Amino acid sequence: MDITIPILILAIPLFMFIFLGLLGGKMSHKLAGTLGTLGMGVTLVLAYTTAFTYFFSGSADFITAGGDRLQYLVFNQTWLAFTKSLVIKLGFLLDPISAMMLVVITTISFMVHLYSLGYMRDHHGVYERGFQRFYAFLSLFSFSMLGLVVATNIFQMYIFWELVGASSYLLIGFYYIKPSAVSASKKAFIVTRFADLGFLIGILVLSFYTGTFDFTQLTSVPVEGLNDVYRVSEGTAEGILNIFQTSAAPVFMGGSVLTWALVLIFMGGMGKSAMLPLHIWLPDAMEGPTPVSALIHAATMVVAGVYLVARLFPLYLMEETALEIITVVGALTAFYAAMVACTQVDIKRVLAFSTISQIAFMMVSLGVARPEIHEGLGYMASMFHLFTHAMFKALLFLGAGALIHAIGSNDYTAMHGLRKYMPITHWTFLIGCLAIAGIIPFSGFFSKDEILSACVGYDWVAYAWMSMVAGLTAFYMFRLYYLIFWWKEHKIPEGHHAPHDQPWTMSLPLIILAAISCVAGFIPFGKLVSWNGEPYDFMAHFDWSVAGVSLTVAVLAIALATVMYRKENNLPEKFKAAVPALWRWCYHRFYWDELYMFITHKIIFNGICRPIAWFDRHIIDGTMDSFATITNKASELIRPLQSGQIQFYVWIYLIGALLLGTITAICLI
């Protein structure tokens, strides 16, 4: 493959960031936004060209005679060489999941760029302050995320991983004059930094024992054996397995070092993908502009953790303990976030907790994936749900942005009955709700049911648990839908215009994403993406009994939401009064933020930092101050000895001579 197109995929967003960052302030808002959108449009075309070439060209570079899809290094240049085997390279890796992510990232990013042309200005056509800066940051994020998914090695991924974090910080805190936005950006940055520390330690441990950072060596089919007990010549998956299955395999605190490394790497994914207990930053990140929520916190950045586990999946298969941890964390997170979403009044926070729950769905699917269970169905199902979720969740966030733009509030209590005023937003939002609820034939039905089928093959408890979460998803999404578009007649405040659909720059992305959400489920995804590169016919494993049960659960949940929220009534208040403690805990997010505040302020700051600060000020500083005081006092005492008076010096000399003579005489006697 010609490397020009892949290089341009990374170079264009980077160039637009530098260009708009340096010169954007000297051009009009419209020109800056148009250039940023055109740049991402070109990147979209190039990414689609690359992905379609990989999937459909049939080239021997990409696919074997047996139909297996290969990992293809478009380019891979040495950047840093520590030893002969420990080398960090920068390159472009093309394989099924990276090609799929090129489509996801550029599609959502282009839609957000186009949508922002209308969203980032008011009804009078006045653009937001910092509009050019906003488009520069969007380009930086797109560059960072694209660099992350095409990384040829885990260290390159880590570099772009941190750039994604920096981009998130800049975009969440775009409204830097708002204290809440500043706090949210700092919260996101700090929480993910703790997670990324674990990620970095895991990288170093893994690379130390395997002698490589390269994904192709870490996850490819083995061709050679060991050089010695701890290292492999090619760093292949089987060689690595041999390392950790020998009698001399390294162990730490009773666990395999490989398990520790993979769990620490997953810790980085927990932070980026907002898994318990590192989820607290994502709901607050809604302080950024709504297009940012669609781009970063629905479709791309938050799936980085899922992508990380999928990228190293052959290694995770070697340590079932790590996969079980992923399954448990994902299952708990999915249920927790779904419960919280049922009580929130801010529409963006409902969608934020929905995102947390759906990402956890993908994690559970990876956790239960095994080659012996429907040929690794869970892996394909996770990637399929990542793809479909990106489309309908971006649709829902952009729809929420249209509502906020029209009403001027995030609170659903300021909305109600908007279906008559905003028909395009209404119908596209409804399609998004049907897709995420898993109603046939919308895309979420197919990807969600593949996950549930994988759970059935793994454990019936996991299946029942995730089916319950799927039912909660359908309930809270249609609760949100009815409270916004139905419930009661919308009251137009005196002196305000009636709400209406937004300009074409905002409506067109909604229509396109809605159309994708309608048809994406029919993509033969298993023939394009699988854990080992072999074509996978998931329809052969499609279990209509599982699909029937999950569809029934979804329909019943929607029916319950319809009864409770379609028309104004007192059922929600009765339910709240029946289980006040449960409602209160869900509304307050199970008090996770309060727990973090207690740990940081009461224990760390007051219990640890204050005593340390006291010791530093009074003992360490006091000791140093005492030395200075003694020195000053001593200098004051001896200062008269250098008065400059000759007579005084003569007297001192005579007294000294007499004392010396006296001492000498006494000694001689």
Side-chain angles (χ1 to χ4, degrees), residues 378-434:
Y379 179 93
M380 186 281 295
S382 178
M383 296 297 98
F384 193 16
H385 198 58
L386 187 158
F387 180 84
T388 60
H389 173 266
M391 303 304 166
F392 58 68
K393 185 53 67 67
L395 167 63
L396 291 167
F397 263 110
L398 295 183
L403 294 165
I404 294 167
H405 200 260
I407 302 300
S409 172
N410 294 15
D411 195 324
Y412 72 74
T413 58
M415 300 177 186
H416 305 315
L418 292 179
R419 69 189 185 282
K420 298 178 181 179
Y421 302 95
M422 306 177 68
I424 295 176
T425 306
H426 167 236
W427 287 110
T428 54
F429 199 90
L430 176 59
I431 289 172
C433 290
L434 290 168

Coordinates of all heavy atoms in Angstrom, one line a residue, residues 378-434:
G378 N -17.6 -13.1 21.7 CA -17.5 -12.0 22.5 C -16.7 -10.8 22.0 O -17.0 -9.7 22.1
Y379 N -15.5 -11.2 21.4 CA -14.6 -10.2 20.8 C -15.3 -9.5 19.7 O -15.3 -8.2 19.6 CB -13.3 -10.9 20.3 CG -12.3 -10.0 19.7 CD1 -11.3 -9.4 20.5 CD2 -12.4 -9.6 18.4 CE1 -10.4 -8.6 20.0 CE2 -11.4 -8.8 17.8 CZ -10.4 -8.3 18.6 OH -9.5 -7.4 18.0
M380 N -15.8 -10.2 18.7 CA -16.5 -9.6 17.6 C -17.7 -8.8 18.0 O -17.9 -7.7 17.6 CB -16.9 -10.7 16.6 CG -17.5 -10.2 15.3 SD -19.3 -9.6 15.4 CE -20.1 -11.1 15.8
A381 N -18.5 -9.3 19.0 CA -19.7 -8.6 19.5 C -19.3 -7.3 20.1 O -19.9 -6.2 20.0 CB -20.4 -9.5 20.5
S382 N -18.2 -7.3 20.9 CA -17.7 -6.0 21.5 C -17.3 -5.0 20.5 O -17.7 -3.8 20.6 CB -16.5 -6.3 22.4 OG -16.0 -5.2 23.0
M383 N -16.6 -5.4 19.5 CA -16.2 -4.4 18.4 C -17.4 -4.0 17.6 O -17.5 -2.8 17.2 CB -15.2 -5.1 17.5 CG -13.8 -5.4 18.2 SD -13.0 -4.0 18.8 CE -13.4 -4.0 20.6
F384 N -18.4 -4.9 17.4 CA -19.6 -4.5 16.7 C -20.4 -3.5 17.5 O -20.9 -2.5 16.9 CB -20.4 -5.8 16.4 CG -21.5 -5.6 15.4 CD1 -21.5 -4.6 14.5 CD2 -22.5 -6.6 15.3 CE1 -22.6 -4.4 13.6 CE2 -23.6 -6.5 14.4 CZ -23.6 -5.4 13.6
H385 N -20.5 -3.7 18.8 CA -21.2 -2.8 19.6 C -20.5 -1.4 19.7 O -21.1 -0.4 19.8 CB -21.5 -3.4 21.0 CG -22.6 -2.7 21.7 ND1 -23.9 -2.6 21.3 CD2 -22.6 -2.0 22.9 CE1 -24.6 -1.9 22.1 NE2 -23.9 -1.6 23.2
L386 N -19.2 -1.5 19.7 CA -18.4 -0.2 19.7 C -18.8 0.6 18.5 O -19.0 1.8 18.5 CB -16.9 -0.6 19.7 CG -15.9 0.6 19.9 CD1 -14.6 0.0 20.4 CD2 -15.6 1.3 18.5
F387 N -18.9 -0.1 17.3 CA -19.2 0.6 16.1 C -20.6 1.1 16.1 O -20.8 2.3 15.8 CB -19.0 -0.4 14.9 CG -19.3 0.2 13.5 CD1 -18.3 0.9 12.9 CD2 -20.5 0.0 13.0 CE1 -18.6 1.4 11.6 CE2 -20.8 0.6 11.7 CZ -19.8 1.3 11.0
T388 N -21.6 0.3 16.4 CA -23.0 0.8 16.4 C -23.2 1.8 17.4 O -23.9 2.8 17.2 CB -23.9 -0.4 16.5 OG1 -23.7 -1.0 17.8 CG2 -23.8 -1.4 15.4
H389 N -22.7 1.6 18.6 CA -22.9 2.6 19.7 C -22.3 3.9 19.4 O -22.9 5.0 19.7 CB -22.2 2.0 21.0 CG -22.2 3.0 22.1 ND1 -21.2 3.9 22.4 CD2 -23.2 3.3 23.1 CE1 -21.5 4.6 23.4 NE2 -22.7 4.3 23.9
A390 N -21.2 4.0 18.7 CA -20.6 5.3 18.3 C -21.6 6.1 17.5 O -21.7 7.3 17.7 CB -19.3 5.0 17.5
M391 N -22.3 5.4 16.6 CA -23.2 6.1 15.7 C -24.5 6.6 16.5 O -24.8 7.8 16.4 CB -23.6 5.2 14.6 CG -22.4 4.7 13.7 SD -21.4 6.1 13.1 CE -19.9 5.2 12.6
F392 N -25.1 5.7 17.2 CA -26.4 6.1 17.8 C -26.1 7.0 19.1 O -27.0 7.8 19.4 CB -27.4 5.0 18.1 CG -26.9 3.9 18.9 CD1 -26.6 4.0 20.3 CD2 -26.7 2.6 18.4 CE1 -26.3 3.0 21.1 CE2 -26.4 1.5 19.2 CZ -26.1 1.7 20.5
K393 N -25.0 6.8 19.7 CA -24.8 7.7 20.9 C -24.4 9.1 20.5 O -24.8 10.1 21.1 CB -23.7 7.1 21.8 CG -23.5 7.8 23.1 CD -24.8 8.1 23.9 CE -25.4 6.8 24.5 NZ -24.6 6.2 25.5
A394 N -23.6 9.2 19.4 CA -23.3 10.5 18.8 C -24.6 11.2 18.4 O -24.8 12.4 18.6 CB -22.3 10.4 17.7
L395 N -25.5 10.4 17.8 CA -26.8 10.9 17.4 C -27.5 11.5 18.6 O -28.1 12.6 18.5 CB -27.6 9.8 16.7 CG -29.1 10.0 16.5 CD1 -29.3 11.2 15.5 CD2 -29.7 8.8 15.9
L396 N -27.6 10.7 19.7 CA -28.3 11.2 20.9 C -27.7 12.4 21.5 O -28.4 13.3 21.9 CB -28.3 10.0 21.9 CG -29.2 8.8 21.5 CD1 -28.9 7.6 22.4 CD2 -30.7 9.2 21.5
F397 N -26.4 12.5 21.5 CA -25.7 13.7 22.1 C -25.9 14.9 21.2 O -26.2 16.0 21.7 CB -24.2 13.4 22.3 CG -23.9 13.0 23.7 CD1 -23.4 11.7 23.9 CD2 -23.9 13.9 24.7 CE1 -23.1 11.4 25.2 CE2 -23.6 13.6 26.0 CZ -23.2 12.3 26.3
L398 N -25.8 14.7 19.9 CA -26.1 15.9 19.0 C -27.5 16.3 19.0 O -27.9 17.5 18.9 CB -25.6 15.5 17.6 CG -24.1 15.2 17.4 CD1 -23.8 15.0 15.9 CD2 -23.3 16.4 17.9
G399 N -28.4 15.3 19.2 CA -29.8 15.6 19.4 C -30.1 16.4 20.7 O -30.8 17.4 20.7
A400 N -29.4 16.0 21.7 CA -29.5 16.7 23.0 C -28.9 18.2 22.8 O -29.5 19.1 23.4 CB -28.7 16.0 24.1
G401 N -27.9 18.3 22.0 CA -27.3 19.6 21.7 C -28.3 20.5 21.0 O -28.5 21.7 21.3
A402 N -29.1 19.9 20.1 CA -30.1 20.7 19.3 C -31.2 21.2 20.3 O -31.7 22.3 20.2 CB -30.7 19.8 18.2
L403 N -31.6 20.3 21.3 CA -32.6 20.7 22.3 C -32.1 21.8 23.2 O -32.8 22.7 23.5 CB -32.9 19.4 23.1 CG -33.6 18.3 22.3 CD1 -33.6 17.0 23.2 CD2 -35.1 18.7 22.0
I404 N -30.8 21.6 23.6 CA -30.2 22.7 24.5 C -30.1 24.0 23.8 O -30.4 25.0 24.3 CB -28.9 22.2 25.0 CG1 -29.1 20.9 25.9 CG2 -28.2 23.3 25.8 CD1 -27.8 20.2 26.3
H405 N -29.7 23.9 22.5 CA -29.6 25.1 21.7 C -30.9 25.8 21.5 O -31.0 27.1 21.5 CB -29.0 24.8 20.3 CG -28.4 25.9 19.6 ND1 -29.0 26.6 18.6 CD2 -27.1 26.5 19.7 CE1 -28.2 27.5 18.2 NE2 -27.1 27.5 18.8
A406 N -32.0 25.1 21.4 CA -33.3 25.6 21.3 C -33.9 26.2 22.6 O -34.6 27.2 22.6 CB -34.2 24.6 20.6
I407 N -33.7 25.4 23.7 CA -34.3 25.8 24.9 C -33.5 26.6 25.8 O -33.9 27.4 26.6 CB -34.7 24.5 25.7 CG1 -35.7 23.6 24.8 CG2 -35.4 24.8 27.0 CD1 -37.0 24.3 24.4
G408 N -32.1 26.4 25.7 CA -31.2 27.1 26.6 C -31.0 26.5 28.0 O -30.6 27.2 28.9
S409 N -31.3 25.2 28.1 CA -31.2 24.5 29.4 C -30.9 23.1 29.1 O -31.4 22.5 28.2 CB -32.4 24.7 30.2 OG -32.4 23.9 31.4
N410 N -30.2 22.4 30.1 CA -29.9 21.0 30.0 C -31.0 20.2 30.7 O -31.1 19.0 30.6 CB -28.6 20.6 30.7 CG -27.4 21.2 29.9 OD1 -27.6 22.0 29.0 ND2 -26.2 20.7 30.2
D411 N -31.8 20.9 31.5 CA -32.8 20.2 32.4 C -34.1 19.9 31.6 O -34.7 20.7 31.0 CB -33.1 21.2 33.5 CG -33.8 20.5 34.7 OD1 -34.6 19.6 34.4 OD2 -33.6 20.9 35.9
Y412 N -34.4 18.6 31.7 CA -35.6 18.2 31.0 C -36.9 18.9 31.5 O -37.9 19.0 30.7 CB -35.8 16.7 31.0 CG -36.3 16.1 32.4 CD1 -37.6 16.3 32.8 CD2 -35.4 15.4 33.2 CE1 -38.0 15.7 34.0 CE2 -35.8 14.9 34.4 CZ -37.1 15.1 34.8 OH -37.5 14.5 36.0
T413 N -36.9 19.4 32.7 CA -38.1 20.1 33.2 C -38.4 21.4 32.5 O -39.5 21.9 32.6 CB -38.0 20.4 34.7 OG1 -36.8 21.2 34.9 CG2 -37.8 19.1 35.5
A414 N -37.4 21.9 31.7 CA -37.6 23.1 30.9 C -38.1 22.7 29.5 O -38.3 23.6 28.7 CB -36.3 23.9 30.8
M415 N -38.3 21.4 29.2 CA -38.6 21.0 27.9 C -40.1 20.5 27.8 O -41.0 21.3 27.9 CB -37.6 19.9 27.4 CG -36.2 20.4 27.4 SD -35.0 19.2 27.0 CE -33.5 20.1 27.2
H416 N -40.3 19.2 27.7 CA -41.7 18.7 27.5 C -42.3 19.1 26.2 O -42.3 20.2 25.8 CB -42.6 19.1 28.7 CG -42.0 18.8 30.1 ND1 -41.4 17.5 30.4 CD2 -42.0 19.5 31.2 CE1 -41.1 17.6 31.6 NE2 -41.4 18.7 32.2
G417 N -43.0 18.1 25.6 CA -43.9 18.4 24.5 C -43.2 19.0 23.3 O -43.9 19.6 22.5
L418 N -41.9 18.7 23.1 CA -41.2 19.4 22.0 C -41.3 18.7 20.6 O -40.8 19.1 19.6 CB -39.7 19.5 22.3 CG -39.4 20.4 23.5 CD1 -37.9 20.4 23.8 CD2 -39.8 21.8 23.2
R419 N -42.1 17.5 20.6 CA -42.2 16.8 19.3 C -42.9 17.7 18.2 O -42.6 17.5 17.0 CB -42.9 15.5 19.5 CG -44.4 15.7 19.8 CD -45.0 14.4 20.3 NE -46.5 14.5 20.5 CZ -47.0 15.0 21.6 NH1 -46.2 15.5 22.5 NH2 -48.3 15.1 21.7
K420 N -43.8 18.6 18.6 CA -44.5 19.4 17.7 C -43.7 20.5 17.1 O -43.9 21.0 16.0 CB -45.8 20.0 18.4 CG -46.8 19.0 18.9 CD -47.9 19.6 19.6 CE -48.9 18.6 20.2 NZ -50.0 19.3 20.9
Y421 N -42.7 20.9 17.9 CA -41.9 22.1 17.5 C -40.6 21.7 16.8 O -40.1 22.5 16.0 CB -41.5 22.9 18.8 CG -42.7 23.4 19.5 CD1 -43.2 22.7 20.6 CD2 -43.4 24.6 19.2 CE1 -44.3 23.1 21.3 CE2 -44.5 25.0 19.9 CZ -44.9 24.3 20.9 OH -46.0 24.8 21.6
M422 N -40.1 20.5 17.1 CA -38.8 20.1 16.5 C -38.9 18.7 16.0 O -38.4 17.7 16.5 CB -37.7 20.1 17.6 CG -37.6 21.5 18.4 SD -36.4 21.5 19.7 CE -34.9 21.3 18.8
P423 N -39.6 18.5 14.8 CA -39.9 17.2 14.3 C -38.6 16.4 13.9 O -38.5 15.2 14.1 CB -40.8 17.5 13.1 CG -40.6 18.9 12.8 CD -40.3 19.6 14.0
I424 N -37.6 17.1 13.2 CA -36.4 16.4 12.8 C -35.7 15.9 14.0 O -35.3 14.7 14.1 CB -35.5 17.3 12.0 CG1 -36.2 17.7 10.7 CG2 -34.2 16.7 11.7 CD1 -35.4 18.7 9.8
T425 N -35.5 16.7 15.0 CA -34.8 16.3 16.3 C -35.6 15.2 16.9 O -35.0 14.2 17.5 CB -34.7 17.5 17.2 OG1 -34.0 18.6 16.6 CG2 -33.9 17.1 18.5
H426 N -36.9 15.3 16.9 CA -37.8 14.3 17.6 C -37.6 12.9 16.9 O -37.3 11.9 17.6 CB -39.2 14.7 17.5 CG -40.2 13.6 17.8 ND1 -41.2 13.2 17.0 CD2 -40.3 12.8 18.9 CE1 -41.9 12.2 17.6 NE2 -41.4 12.0 18.7
W427 N -37.7 12.8 15.6 CA -37.7 11.5 15.0 C -36.3 10.9 15.0 O -36.1 9.7 15.2 CB -38.2 11.6 13.5 CG -39.6 11.8 13.5 CD1 -40.3 12.9 13.1 CD2 -40.6 10.8 13.8 NE1 -41.7 12.7 13.2 CE2 -41.9 11.4 13.6 CE3 -40.6 9.5 14.2 CZ2 -43.1 10.8 13.8 CZ3 -41.8 8.8 14.5 CH2 -43.0 9.5 14.3
T428 N -35.2 11.8 14.8 CA -33.9 11.2 14.9 C -33.5 10.8 16.3 O -32.9 9.7 16.5 CB -32.9 12.3 14.4 OG1 -33.0 13.5 15.1 CG2 -33.1 12.5 12.9
F429 N -34.0 11.5 17.3 CA -33.7 11.1 18.7 C -34.4 9.8 19.0 O -33.9 9.0 19.7 CB -34.2 12.2 19.7 CG -33.6 12.2 21.0 CD1 -32.4 12.8 21.3 CD2 -34.2 11.5 22.0 CE1 -31.9 12.8 22.6 CE2 -33.7 11.4 23.3 CZ -32.5 12.1 23.6
L430 N -35.7 9.7 18.5 CA -36.4 8.4 18.7 C -35.7 7.2 18.1 O -35.6 6.2 18.7 CB -37.8 8.6 18.1 CG -38.7 7.3 18.2 CD1 -38.9 6.9 19.6 CD2 -40.0 7.6 17.5
I431 N -35.1 7.4 16.9 CA -34.3 6.4 16.3 C -33.1 6.0 17.2 O -32.8 4.8 17.4 CB -33.9 6.8 14.9 CG1 -35.1 6.8 13.9 CG2 -32.8 5.8 14.4 CD1 -34.8 7.4 12.6
G432 N -32.5 7.0 17.7 CA -31.3 6.7 18.6 C -31.8 5.9 19.9 O -31.1 5.0 20.3
C433 N -32.9 6.3 20.4 CA -33.5 5.6 21.6 C -33.8 4.1 21.3 O -33.6 3.2 22.0 CB -34.7 6.3 22.1 SG -34.3 7.9 22.9
L434 N -34.4 3.9 20.1 CA -34.8 2.6 19.7 C -33.5 1.7 19.4 O -33.5 0.5 19.8 CB -35.6 2.6 18.4 CG -37.1 3.2 18.6 CD1 -37.7 3.4 17.2 CD2 -37.9 2.2 19.4

